[in-house]
Amino acid sequence: MPAGTHAVLLTQGAEQDLEFLYDYIAEHDSSANAQRLLDRLEHVIEGLAHMPERGSYPRELSALGIRAYRQTFFKPYRVIYRVTGRQVVIHLIADGRRDMRTLLARRLLGA
């Protein structure tokens, strides 16, 4: 791995998020648009290998005093991740218009 590069990993939940987004858009729009969205999200995710600290803290977690996770956007989608050493672990990929407080609590805090 070149200097300044982090390994980017997706949790099983994040992989399922991508599959759900693809399936939903393919069903309600087209498989071409679903693939285009996946390609763009993957580009955003791969960009985290070089500058993971650029992401902001999710406001729902900051309000609870939790600053272990960061987020980046491909509007309206939010990619929630954690930087651990030389790894970036993607925990959640979701439409930011959803009830993010509940989604984050369930996925990240086990609530």
Side-chain angles (χ1 to χ4, degrees):
M1 207 170 5
T5 303
H6 291 69
V8 179
L9 309 168
L10 277 78
T11 62
Q12 182 177 354
E15 288 179 4
Q16 290 171 345
D17 293 339
L18 287 175
E19 289 174 20
F20 172 80
L21 289 170
Y22 179 91
D23 291 345
Y24 183 86
I25 292 170
E27 182 180 329
H28 293 89
D29 189 349
S30 71
S31 56
N33 284 340
Q35 187 59 53
R36 210 171 355 265
L37 172 64
L38 242 52
D39 292 345
R40 290 182 177 151
L41 281 170
E42 287 172 359
H43 181 74
V44 167
I45 290 166
E46 289 166 7
L48 292 172
H50 304 289
M51 291 188 4
E53 293 82 14
R54 73 171 186 239
S56 62
Y57 297 108
R59 66 186 175 281
E60 298 88 352
L61 297 176
S62 288
L64 300 173
I66 299 169
R67 296 175 69 85
Y69 298 92
R70 292 183 177 265
Q71 67 183 348
T72 190
F73 298 90
F74 178 72
K75 297 241 184 224
Y77 301 98
R78 292 169 65 180
V79 177
I80 311 292
Y81 62 96
R82 186 175 195 163
V83 180
T84 309
R86 306 291 296 158
Q87 290 186 334
V88 176
V89 180
I90 310 296
H91 288 273
L92 176 73
I93 303 163
D95 187 321
R97 297 169 292 191
R98 291 181 62 189
D99 176 4
M100 291 300 288
R101 182 179 307 236
T102 301
L103 197 54
L104 290 169
R106 201 174 324 133
R107 183 77 60 90
L108 304 178
L109 308 177

